[in-house]
Amino acid sequence: MSKIKPTSTHDENKRLLEAECPEIYASNLINGQWTVAICCYLGAGKMRFAALKKKLPAITDRMLTLELRKMEEKGLISRTIFAEVPVRVEYELTPIGHELTPVIQQLEIWGKKHKALFDKQ
Amino acid sequence: MSKIKPTSTHDENKRLLEAECPEIYASNLINGQWTVAICCYLGAGKMRFAALKKKLPAITDRMLTLELRKMEEKGLISRTIFAEVPVRVEYELTPIGHELTPVIQQLEIWGKKHKALFDKQ
DNA sequence: TATGGAGCTAACAAAAGTGTAAGTATGAGC
DNA sequence: GCTCATACTTACACTTTTGTTAGCTCCATA
């Protein structure tokens, strides 16, 4: 998750498209490898780092940290630190993050249909 | 768009997640940089290569070809070649591709809301 | 003393995605 | 013969994302 080079036309194109189309803007907000999964789990309520990690078996500490940070930056989740020992950190969907839930459900329905079509072949 | 290495845990993780969650499977189907944009334009009807290219100002021939091929593989669009001179090629959404349109519209609505929130700040 | 859990962080490496520049085949029109 | 348009293809380089490995801090408990 290095800094984006200012000379990148790749990024330039992304921004152009995002500026024109909110649907592309939206899809870019959720296209991290674990983003949608995390949204799903947090849809059911607050969760701690370790709890999320258990739900995402193959994820590493690093990836989970990065994803959560990115999602926080994007305003999808909020992060609350409890100064206990050991530290406790809770993640939770923001209001706009919650509004994403029905959209993800639509995606899920469509995904199932698409999968059914392709499993037949 | 090189071949995926079979040793890649990156890809392995993707498949694990996709197998469990149709919503992740779905989101992976639409996360090419130009995929959603192309779906939008084709939602209105068939289009030729050159017409799509005009609509996506910053795209190169190569990227458009790659995107269209990937979308064809994924069953989102179909490709019809007319053996004229010069060749004519038409792209069109498949039925399952069409069913994606309302989902994208949902994404669009959510994207606008999210954007509005962040533009204020 | 050391062991352990929670939630990270840093340095590095690999993979996937995207962009650049150049080229192809075809036949029509000049 | 030369150029034009369409819809690609190839070889290469760059950017971004993801993974590997190893660490760290805090204090409680054994």
Side-chain angles (χ1 to χ4, degrees), chain A residues 25 74-75 94-97 99, chain B residues 110-121:
Chain A
Y25 171 84
K74 292 170 174 177
T94 58
I96 190 75
E99 290 191 51
Chain B
W110 181 81
K112 276 184 188 161
K113 273 192 198 170
H114 185 282
K115 214 169 190 172
L117 268 179
F118 272 63
D119 284 348
K120 275 180 202 162
Q121 288 163 8

Side-chain angles (χ1 to χ4, degrees), chain A residues 39-57:
Chain A
C39 276
C40 287
Y41 288 122
L42 290 185
K46 298 178 191 181
M47 281 181 89
R48 300 180 57 180
F49 187 91
L52 276 169
K53 208 188 155 185
K54 262 185 209 159
K55 290 285 191 178
L56 304 162

Side-chain angles (χ1 to χ4, degrees), chain B residues 46-86:
Chain B
K46 297 177 189 180
M47 281 181 91
R48 298 180 56 180
F49 188 91
L52 276 168
K53 207 188 157 185
K54 261 185 208 157
K55 290 286 192 178
L56 304 163
I59 205 170
T60 59
D61 281 12
R62 195 187 102 98
M63 282 313 298
L64 186 48
T65 304
L66 286 175
E67 275 292 332
L68 291 169
R69 287 288 190 286
K70 250 202 311 189
M71 290 172 73
E72 201 191 348
E73 255 183 49
K74 291 169 174 176
L76 300 178
I77 61 175
S78 66
R79 186 162 171 265
T80 318
I81 306 168
F82 297 87
E84 301 168 358
V85 164

